[in-house]
């Protein structure tokens, strides 16, 4: 299943072409008009700096969340941008002039993610909220967190679809099919795949009984080492990005309780890469090597948003 190219740039161009042809297919199978009937209920959050907006609304009477993000300039697109655009003068003063540039359609695309139908939990996930840092002892995990996540967490059907090649199969860049130490590596759906500067991939393990960092013990070291090693090699081959340019980590708490590892480009300040939520995979391996029960026994810290149900459980238990 591995599709490694020797020339990373070429591979990236090919994967961009793949994404374009996916979107062309999508236009043909009705995706083009999906949002025409979208009725906005509220803007959940927006960022002027990141040029993103998260919108809650209704589609066919059901809840939906639409995330839109203006994409960065890629060096490769500059020539097309200069030659194919029209300029509208805004003002001119001495040697200074400002314009509104109207790019050709293929350079004015907005990356759009649709969650439909969206659950109440999705709507909350994308709402701007105050966060609180929680302290979770091993006992808190057993008595508060575990029962909560067993009943309340997001469906991981999308993960099973990827592992079973029912969705995103053509996006997989590397797979080790081994049931114990194997995994699938593919672009995170947050990545536009237009440039490596904001590279974001996820490795999803084939093994189905590992919910999060808390479940990891000595027996998982070969799995974690395999992901770290082979994931780095695959990214070097596909995107020409060396391991020294990668941030490889797990989230605690994750949103989806099926073990997966984030691979992002170092220097790309993606939400969730801060010290309060991200655990470097290399550190996780070392911690397990020095203490096989490290993550079973340690107190772990993580932020939760004000309206997170788990936060209420910690409050009810007098732990916040
Ligand atoms: P997480 O740490 O469980 O939660 O990471 P977070 O979303 O709060 O960071 C899950 C990762 O999977 C995130 O980086 C998501 O962007 C990514 N992701 C989520 N979904 C539903 C999909 C999907 O359908 N396809 C792909 N390729 N990535 C997804």
């Amino acid at each position: 299943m591995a599709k490694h190219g020797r020339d990373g740039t070429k591979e990236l161009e090919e994967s961009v072409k793949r994404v374009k042809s996916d979107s062309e297919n999508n236009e043909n199978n009705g995706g083009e008009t999906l949002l025409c009937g979208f009725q906005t209920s509220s803007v959940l959050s927006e960022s002027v700096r990141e040029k993103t907006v998260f919108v809650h609304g209704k589609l066919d009477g059901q809840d939906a969340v639409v995330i839109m993000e203006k994409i960065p300039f890629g060096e490769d697109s500059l020539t097309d941008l200069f030659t194919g655009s029209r300029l509208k003068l805004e003002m001119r003063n001495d040697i200074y002039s400002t314009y509104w540039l109207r790019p050709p359609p293929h350079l004015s695309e907005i990356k759009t993610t649709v969650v439909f139908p969206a659950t109440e939990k999705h709507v909350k996930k994308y709402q701007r909220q105050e966060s609180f840092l929680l302290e979770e002892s091993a006992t808190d995990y057993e008595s508060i967190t575990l029962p909560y996540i067993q009943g309340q967490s997001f469906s991981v059907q999308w993960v099973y679809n990827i592992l079973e090649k029912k969705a995103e199969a053509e996006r997989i860049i590397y797979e080790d099919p081994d049931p114990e130490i194997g995994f699938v590596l593919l672009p995170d759906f947050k990545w536009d795949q237009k440039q490596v500067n904001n590279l974001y991939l996820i490795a999803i393990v084939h093994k189905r009984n590992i919910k999060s960092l808390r479940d990891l013990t000595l027996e998982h070291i070969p799995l974690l080492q395999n992901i770290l090693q082979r994931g780095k090699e695959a990214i070097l081959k596909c995107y020409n990005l060396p391991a020294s340019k990668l941030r490889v980590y797990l989230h605690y708490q994750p949103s989806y309780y099926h073990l997966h590892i984030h691979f992002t480009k170092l220097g790309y300040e993606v939400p969730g890469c801060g010290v309060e939520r991200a655990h470097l995979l290399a550190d996780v391996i070392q911690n397990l090597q020095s203490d096989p029960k490290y993550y079973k026994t340690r107190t772990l810290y993580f932020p939760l948003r004000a309206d997170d149900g788990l936060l209420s459980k910690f409050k009810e238990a007098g732990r916040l």
Side-chain angles (χ1 to χ4, degrees), residues 125 158 168 187-190 200 251 255-256 260 262 277:
K125 174 174 161 77
W158 67 272
E168 305 189 52
D188 190 286
F189 75 174
K190 288 200 282 265
Y200 198 147
H251 277 158
S255 295
Y256 304 96
H260 56 274
H262 302 250
R277 193 161 177 231

Side-chain angles (χ1 to χ4, degrees), residues 114 152 261 281:
V114 179
Q152 297 283 324
I261 318 288
L281 180 57

Side-chain angles (χ1 to χ4, degrees), residues 113 115 122 125-126 154-155 158-159 162 167-168 171 186-191 200-202 204 249-258 260-262 270-272 277:
T113 306
V115 185
H122 285 107
K125 174 174 161 77
Y126 295 118
F154 281 126
S155 158
W158 67 272
V159 171
I162 290 172
E168 305 189 52
R171 286 160 47 91
L186 80 168
D188 190 286
F189 75 174
K190 288 200 282 265
W191 185 30
Y200 198 147
L201 294 130
I202 39 168
I204 302 176
Y249 58 97
L250 291 83
H251 277 158
Y252 194 73
Q253 300 286 332
S255 295
Y256 304 96
Y257 290 87
H258 173 110
H260 56 274
I261 318 288
H262 302 250
V270 62
R277 193 161 177 231

Side-chain angles (χ1 to χ4, degrees), residues 6 23 72 83 85 91 93 103 126 128 145 180 186 194-195 212 223 227 248 255 269 286 288 296 319:
R6 259 175 237 100
S23 64
T83 55
S85 303
M91 70 96 195
N93 183 349
Y126 295 118
R128 191 171 296 281
T145 310
E180 288 301 313
L186 80 168
K194 303 224 183 218
Q195 60 277 305
S212 74
L223 166 70
I227 296 175
V248 187
S255 295
E269 297 304 318
Q286 285 200 69
L288 290 172
K296 295 265 180 214
R319 298 288 291 116

